[in-house]
Amino acid sequence: MRPTGFLLPPLAALALTSCAAPPSPPPPATPPPVSQQPPAAAPSPSAPLNTHVSDSLNAADLAFRNGIDGCPGVSLAITAANSPTIYGPTSPAQRAELKPYADRCKLRFQP
């Protein structure tokens, strides 16, 4: 039994009980049926995309725009472009894109 001086108004008691209960988990998300999903874009076999090269060049661009030396990112991109067994093949377009960055950082790179 509670002491008589500790009675809560009914609304306050209701608020306390609703705060004390943990929230119910959201229902699991169900993916749309396969027929409604857009087809995945397959990379062109003639121009493979090496994501390590493009990610490193994006990081270098961001650094250069913010006044920071982006040459470490360019160096990583060169390493990824020259290591196809580890990072995957690099398209000629990516290699050509990488060359001006290498020149800017005075790094050797043969497209």
Side-chain angles (χ1 to χ4, degrees), residues 2-111:
R2 292 185 182 163
T4 56
F6 188 74
L7 293 176
L8 294 174
L11 289 177
L14 179 63
L16 285 177
T17 57
S18 67
C19 291
S24 61
T30 56
V34 176
S35 62
Q36 294 178 357
Q37 291 180 348
S44 171
S46 63
L49 178 64
N50 187 329
T51 57
H52 297 284
V53 172
S54 48
D55 290 346
S56 296
L57 290 181
N58 285 338
D61 271 337
L62 182 64
F64 287 136
R65 275 184 296 209
N66 289 315
I68 302 170
D69 182 20
C71 292
V74 175
S75 179
L76 288 173
I78 291 172
T79 301
N82 288 333
S83 305
T85 57
I86 298 172
Y87 298 105
T90 305
S91 70
Q94 278 185 309
R95 295 183 73 81
E97 180 184 11
L98 180 52
K99 181 62 175 159
Y101 286 92
D103 293 341
R104 177 178 182 175
C105 294
K106 296 179 178 67
L107 298 171
R108 289 184 301 179
F109 178 70
Q110 198 63 35

